[in-house]
């Protein structure tokens, strides 16, 4: 629109000038010879031609001078014409300046080639001014909080392990805006597993997991107990880790233009590069209206080249994520190494709207590529149109984890402090099965893991996909249980058959089994442990510090989801429990959690104050 204003002005000048010009020419035609020239018009070249024969008197007489009125009208017309053209040129320049503000030109770059030749490289695509942050289009998996199960009818609980942390970071981003997160955005197990726990570690990669259990009184329900199942994975030393073949798949669509999106992606990937070395290779694929390779597989030691490719990215256009995935996996296959970590790292807000957009089709594609040994990790950015549901599905089907990057500190946590666990898997298809003893436990419920539930027979089926665990990661699961004779959530069924007789002489609470596959294997292995009264303490204060802190985080997640089972337990109770179990906190994650609980209390009070009064 800005560029059309000079054209409109010029057309207006022409329209106003033509009638006046025609009048003057017609008047002059009556008083001057046809070949006479207007001396008032600057820049007019004199005409030189043979003069017609003329009488002596005519030759002696001087040519008639233009009248003052003719000269005045012509000068006025010329002044109007010049002013209009000047205004049109000024308008054009102002339009160009405005367009330059929206799309600032980028300087060209040069690169020295062999033989002293200097090549001019294309300047990176300029980024447009960011659009307003979208609202109300976030999408999350829908899952109801799990309820109590009667041990007599369903003694076995089976689920896939989960080390994702996206839910915690999204919850934090919401509370930092003084807004409670949507209930479906809260996955309690991801809140619990956001934190590292000081569990005893395995000593050999041959058995990559060590199980820690504890039983202690429930903080929110008298007469009930919490059962903690903690798992610590084997930590691969950074110097002995396998090389990495990484493909960064970066969403550069228009929805990524905000400061907490593509600019944060660039910073995050720059941090990740600091953890890589000459053993590793990096490639970059971007997608917007279409997908393309920005950087072919390049040794990570060529950091300036990689950083230059990252810094040259700009956000515009639609979101052809499906085509981006296809090209990224093609590059990963091109550089595939059997003994390396082969992984696609997707950075996006998840808003796929061009090409392949069907979630089932995308999940099927990622699952097939998982079978080739190429895993997928997902980094989410932005709020308002964050497609968490799709990102979770892609990560779960791609044998990878999903994280949400809301700040540069979170990028540092995921990609620097936890880089080895984020990139280097020690086991895949990790499943947990807990069988409760009906002689000691009447009811149980698994806190969280609603989107990770498996059927009982899935546990021994090696064809069923499950979660991946990275080097040195910890995983925690909490069960709330009702001991036999305790406050039942469900009365006995009137017509139910009598439960099977308990195992004679057994006082165990439950039996824990873990199945996993080595990253390069297709047959699972088994690790087992019993939970018996020897792991129980009588009071909450006697419970292990890590168990108490996990319980505080679990309560927080349950309250954010609607507080179905936490009774009168409130935010101040969570603060007291978490503060007393904070322990060693070198990075301040647990201290930050206490602050977020207080922020949630404030956000809840604000929401209540703004709610319309009941009629």
């Amino acid at each position: 629109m800005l560029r059309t204003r000079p054209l409109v002005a010029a057309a207006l000048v022409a329209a106003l000038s033509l009638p006046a010009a025609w009048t003057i020419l017609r008047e002059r035609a009556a008083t001057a010879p046809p070949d006479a020239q207007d001396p008032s018009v600057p820049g007019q070249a004199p005409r030189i031609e043979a003069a017609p024969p003329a009488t002596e008197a005519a030759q002696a007489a001087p040519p008639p001078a233009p009248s003052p009125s003719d000269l005045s009208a012509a000068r006025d017309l010329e002044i109007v014409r010049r002013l209009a053209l000047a205004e049109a040129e000024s308008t054009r320049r102002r339009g160009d300046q405005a367009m330059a503000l929206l799309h600032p030109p980028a300087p060209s770059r040069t690169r020295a080639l062999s033989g002293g030749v200097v090549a001019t490289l294309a300047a990176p695509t300029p980024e447009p001014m960011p659009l307003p942050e979208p609202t109300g289009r976030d999408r999350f998996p829908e899952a109801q909080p799990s309820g109590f199960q009667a041990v007599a009818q369903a003694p076995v609980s089976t689920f896939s392990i989960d080390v994702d942390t996206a839910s915690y970071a999204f919850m934090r981003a919401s509370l930092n805006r003084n807004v409670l997160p949507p209930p479906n955005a809260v996955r309690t197990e991801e809140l619990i597993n956001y934190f590292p726990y000081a569990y005893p570690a395995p000593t050999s990669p041959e058995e990559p997991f060590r199980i820690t259990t504890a039983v202690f009184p429930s903080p929110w329900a008298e007469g009930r107990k919490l059962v903690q199942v903690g798992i610590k994975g084997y930590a691969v030393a950074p110097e002995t880790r396998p090389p990495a073949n990484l493909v960064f798949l970066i969403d550069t669509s228009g929805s990524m233009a905000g400061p907490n999106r593509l600019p944060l992606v660039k910073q995050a990937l720059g941090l990740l590069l600091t953890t890589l070395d000459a053993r590793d290779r990096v490639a970059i694929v971007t997608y917007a209206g279409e997908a393309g390779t920005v950087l072919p597989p390049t040794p990570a030691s060529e950091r300036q080249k990689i950083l230059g490719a990252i810094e040259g990215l700009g956000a515009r256009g639609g979101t052809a994520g499906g085509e981006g995935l296809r090209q990224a996996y093609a590059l990963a296959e091109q550089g595939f190494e059997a003994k390396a970590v082969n992984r696609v790292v997707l950075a996006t807000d998840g808003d796929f709207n061009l090409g392949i957009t069907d979630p089932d089709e995308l999940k099927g594609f990622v699952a097939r590529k998982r079978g080739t040994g190429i895993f997928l990790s997902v980094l989410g950015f932005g709020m308002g149109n964050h497609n968490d549901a799709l990102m979770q599905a892609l990560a779960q089907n791609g044998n990878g984890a999903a994280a949400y990057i809301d700040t540069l500190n979170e990028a540092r946590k995921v990609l620097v402090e936890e880089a080895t666990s984020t990139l280097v898997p020690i086991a895949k298809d990790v499943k947990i099965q807990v069988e409760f003893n009906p002689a000691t436990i009447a009811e149980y419920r698994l806190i969280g893991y609603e989107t990770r539930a498996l059927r009982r027979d899935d546990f021994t089926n090696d064809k069923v996909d499950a979660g991946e665990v990275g080097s040195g990661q910890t995983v925690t699961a909490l069960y709330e249980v009702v001991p036999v004779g305790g406050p039942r959530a469900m009365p006995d069924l009137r017509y139910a058959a009598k439960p099977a007789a308990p195992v004679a002489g057994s006082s165990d609470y439950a039996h824990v089994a873990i199945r996993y596959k080595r990253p390069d294997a297709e047959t699972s292995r088994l690790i087992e442990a019993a939970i018996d009264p020897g792991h129980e303490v009588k009071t909450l204060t006697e419970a292990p510090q890590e168990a108490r802190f996990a319980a505080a985080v679990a309560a927080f997640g349950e309250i954010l989801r609607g507080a179905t089972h936490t009774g009168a337990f409130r935010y101040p109770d969570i603060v007291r429990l978490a503060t007393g179990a904070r322990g060693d906190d070198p990075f301040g994650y647990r201290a930050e959690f206490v602050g977020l609980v207080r922020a949630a209390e404030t956000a809840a009070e604000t929401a209540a104050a703004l709610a319309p009064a009941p009629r």
Side-chain angles (χ1 to χ4, degrees), residues 408-493:
L408 189 59
N409 281 338
E410 182 66 14
R412 185 175 292 107
K413 175 182 183 290
V414 173
L415 300 176
V416 178
E417 295 161 5
E418 301 173 357
T420 304
S421 60
T422 299
L423 297 178
V424 181
I426 60 170
K428 65 181 182 180
D429 293 344
V430 185
K431 310 168 190 175
I432 299 180
Q433 189 168 78
V434 179
E435 181 182 357
F436 289 95
N437 182 0
T440 55
I441 303 297
E443 295 173 344
Y444 68 91
R445 73 177 184 98
L446 176 61
I447 299 176
Y449 292 94
E450 289 88 358
T451 63
R452 296 285 193 160
L454 297 175
R455 298 192 307 259
R456 179 178 173 180
D457 60 323
D458 289 339
F459 183 70
T460 56
N461 187 350
D462 284 349
K463 297 295 184 181
V464 175
D465 180 52
E468 176 198 58
V469 177
S471 169
Q473 282 183 323
T474 58
V475 183
T476 301
L478 289 176
Y479 284 92
E480 184 175 13
V481 301
V482 180
V484 170
R488 297 276 300 271
M490 300 178 295
D492 288 329
L493 296 175

Side-chain angles (χ1 to χ4, degrees), residues 35-181:
D35 294 334
Q37 298 181 19
D38 187 352
S40 67
V41 180
Q44 186 180 33
R47 297 182 60 188
I48 301 175
E49 57 184 25
T55 64
E56 184 178 303
Q59 291 175 354
S67 66
S69 61
D70 288 347
L71 294 175
S72 176
R75 289 191 182 97
D76 290 345
L77 176 60
E78 178 63 17
I79 290 171
V80 169
R81 185 180 69 83
R82 292 185 178 185
L83 289 174
L85 292 175
E87 171 63 20
E89 176 64 17
S90 176
T91 301
R92 183 188 65 77
R93 290 179 178 176
R94 290 196 299 269
D96 289 344
Q97 291 172 354
M99 295 298 291
L101 290 175
L102 290 174
H103 303 283
S108 62
R109 298 174 294 169
T110 60
R111 176 179 297 169
L113 303 178
S114 61
V117 178
V118 176
T120 300
L121 305 180
T125 304
E127 295 185 21
M129 295 181 67
L131 299 173
E133 188 82 355
T135 58
R137 295 194 288 120
D138 298 310
R139 283 163 284 178
F140 303 96
E142 295 186 6
Q144 294 298 317
S146 56
F148 279 95
Q149 300 288 329
V151 176
Q153 279 83 43
V156 178
S157 169
T158 308
F159 61 96
S160 167
I161 216 157
D162 189 0
V163 293
D164 293 349
T165 60
S167 179
Y168 185 94
F170 189 90
M171 173 272 296
R172 176 179 57 205
S174 298
L175 293 179
N176 284 337
R177 301 167 68 172
N178 197 33
V179 176
L180 290 172

Side-chain angles (χ1 to χ4, degrees), residues 401-608:
Y404 178 80
I405 309 297
D406 59 327
T407 65
L408 189 59
N409 281 338
E410 182 66 14
R412 185 175 292 107
K413 175 182 183 290
V414 173
L415 300 176
V416 178
E417 295 161 5
E418 301 173 357
T420 304
S421 60
T422 299
L423 297 178
V424 181
I426 60 170
K428 65 181 182 180
D429 293 344
V430 185
K431 310 168 190 175
I432 299 180
Q433 189 168 78
V434 179
E435 181 182 357
F436 289 95
N437 182 0
T440 55
I441 303 297
E443 295 173 344
Y444 68 91
R445 73 177 184 98
L446 176 61
I447 299 176
Y449 292 94
E450 289 88 358
T451 63
R452 296 285 193 160
L454 297 175
R455 298 192 307 259
R456 179 178 173 180
D457 60 323
D458 289 339
F459 183 70
T460 56
N461 187 350
D462 284 349
K463 297 295 184 181
V464 175
D465 180 52
E468 176 198 58
V469 177
S471 169
Q473 282 183 323
T474 58
V475 183
T476 301
L478 289 176
Y479 284 92
E480 184 175 13
V481 301
V482 180
V484 170
R488 297 276 300 271
M490 300 178 295
D492 288 329
L493 296 175
R494 183 182 299 274
Y495 301 109
K498 291 183 179 181
V503 178
S506 173
S507 61
D508 290 348
Y509 290 129
H511 178 268
V512 179
I514 298 176
R515 279 200 175 273
Y516 70 95
K517 299 175 187 173
R518 301 290 294 271
D520 56 351
E522 295 303 322
T523 303
S524 65
R525 301 184 180 186
L526 180 66
I527 301 175
E528 299 177 278
I531 305 175
D532 56 44
H535 297 90
E536 183 177 6
V537 295
K538 300 301 182 183
T539 65
L540 181 61
T541 56
E542 295 178 278
Q545 175 182 280
E546 305 297 75
R548 285 182 283 125
F549 187 82
V553 181
F556 185 53
E558 294 293 280
I559 290 176
L560 290 177
R561 296 208 66 183
T564 307
H565 300 289
T566 51
F569 209 68
R570 294 292 181 263
Y571 294 116
D573 303 309
I574 297 173
V575 169
R576 284 191 293 271
L577 182 57
T579 302
R582 195 167 67 183
D584 187 25
D585 188 24
F587 299 108
Y589 302 146
R590 297 189 179 191
E592 180 191 54
F593 170 75
V594 174
L596 290 175
V597 176
R598 293 193 174 104
E601 184 176 18
T602 302
E605 292 171 351
T606 301

Side-chain angles (χ1 to χ4, degrees), residues 200-579:
T203 58
S204 169
E206 295 305 313
E207 190 167 289
F209 298 115
R210 185 168 176 179
I211 302 173
T212 298
T213 60
V215 182
F216 54 98
S218 169
W220 53 78
E222 187 175 356
R224 294 177 182 169
K225 300 177 182 179
L226 294 185
V227 174
Q228 173 206 31
V229 178
I231 301 169
K232 176 72 172 179
Y234 179 79
V236 177
E239 61 273 11
T240 62
R241 70 165 177 82
N245 168 36
L246 303 178
V247 178
F248 297 155
L249 175 56
I250 305 173
D251 183 350
T252 56
S253 64
S255 65
M256 292 289 288
N260 63 340
R261 297 171 187 247
L262 186 57
L264 187 54
V265 171
K266 295 179 180 181
Q267 292 176 302
L269 296 182
L271 290 175
L272 176 57
L273 280 179
T274 65
T275 68
L276 305 178
D277 56 38
R279 297 174 296 169
D280 309 312
R281 285 180 299 175
V282 170
I284 299 176
V285 173
T286 63
Y287 64 91
E290 57 186 17
T293 299
V294 173
L295 181 75
T298 302
S301 55
E302 299 183 24
R303 293 184 181 175
Q304 292 305 315
K305 180 178 180 180
I306 299 171
L307 288 173
I310 293 173
E311 286 302 316
L313 302 178
R316 61 182 68 246
T319 316
E323 176 61 17
L325 280 171
R326 188 193 67 78
Q327 293 195 24
Y329 275 106
L331 272 186
E333 290 169 353
Q334 176 182 328
F336 183 86
E337 293 184 29
K339 295 185 178 181
V341 174
N342 300 278
R343 187 180 296 273
V344 174
V345 180
L346 169 62
T348 180
D349 59 11
D351 193 17
F352 290 17
N353 54 33
L354 293 177
I356 301 175
T357 60
D358 180 67
D360 291 333
E361 190 173 352
L362 290 169
K363 288 189 294 184
F365 174 78
V366 169
R368 289 191 298 274
K369 293 300 181 182
R370 177 190 74 217
T372 68
I374 301 173
F375 294 173
L376 173 69
S377 294
V378 182
L379 306 178
F381 295 81
M383 298 187 76
N385 65 332
H386 177 63
N387 193 345
D388 179 81
L390 178 60
M391 291 170 54
Q392 289 291 315
L394 292 179
Q396 291 179 16
N397 283 270
N399 265 11
Y404 178 80
I405 309 297
D406 59 327
T407 65
L408 189 59
N409 281 338
E410 182 66 14
R412 185 175 292 107
K413 175 182 183 290
V414 173
L415 300 176
V416 178
E417 295 161 5
E418 301 173 357
T420 304
S421 60
T422 299
L423 297 178
V424 181
I426 60 170
K428 65 181 182 180
D429 293 344
V430 185
K431 310 168 190 175
I432 299 180
Q433 189 168 78
V434 179
E435 181 182 357
F436 289 95
N437 182 0
T440 55
I441 303 297
E443 295 173 344
Y444 68 91
R445 73 177 184 98
L446 176 61
I447 299 176
Y449 292 94
E450 289 88 358
T451 63
R452 296 285 193 160
L454 297 175
R455 298 192 307 259
R456 179 178 173 180
D457 60 323
D458 289 339
F459 183 70
T460 56
N461 187 350
D462 284 349
K463 297 295 184 181
V464 175
D465 180 52
E468 176 198 58
V469 177
S471 169
Q473 282 183 323
T474 58
V475 183
T476 301
L478 289 176
Y479 284 92
E480 184 175 13
V481 301
V482 180
V484 170
R488 297 276 300 271
M490 300 178 295
D492 288 329
L493 296 175
R494 183 182 299 274
Y495 301 109
K498 291 183 179 181
V503 178
S506 173
S507 61
D508 290 348
Y509 290 129
H511 178 268
V512 179
I514 298 176
R515 279 200 175 273
Y516 70 95
K517 299 175 187 173
R518 301 290 294 271
D520 56 351
E522 295 303 322
T523 303
S524 65
R525 301 184 180 186
L526 180 66
I527 301 175
E528 299 177 278
I531 305 175
D532 56 44
H535 297 90
E536 183 177 6
V537 295
K538 300 301 182 183
T539 65
L540 181 61
T541 56
E542 295 178 278
Q545 175 182 280
E546 305 297 75
R548 285 182 283 125
F549 187 82
V553 181
F556 185 53
E558 294 293 280
I559 290 176
L560 290 177
R561 296 208 66 183
T564 307
H565 300 289
T566 51
F569 209 68
R570 294 292 181 263
Y571 294 116
D573 303 309
I574 297 173
V575 169
R576 284 191 293 271
L577 182 57
T579 302

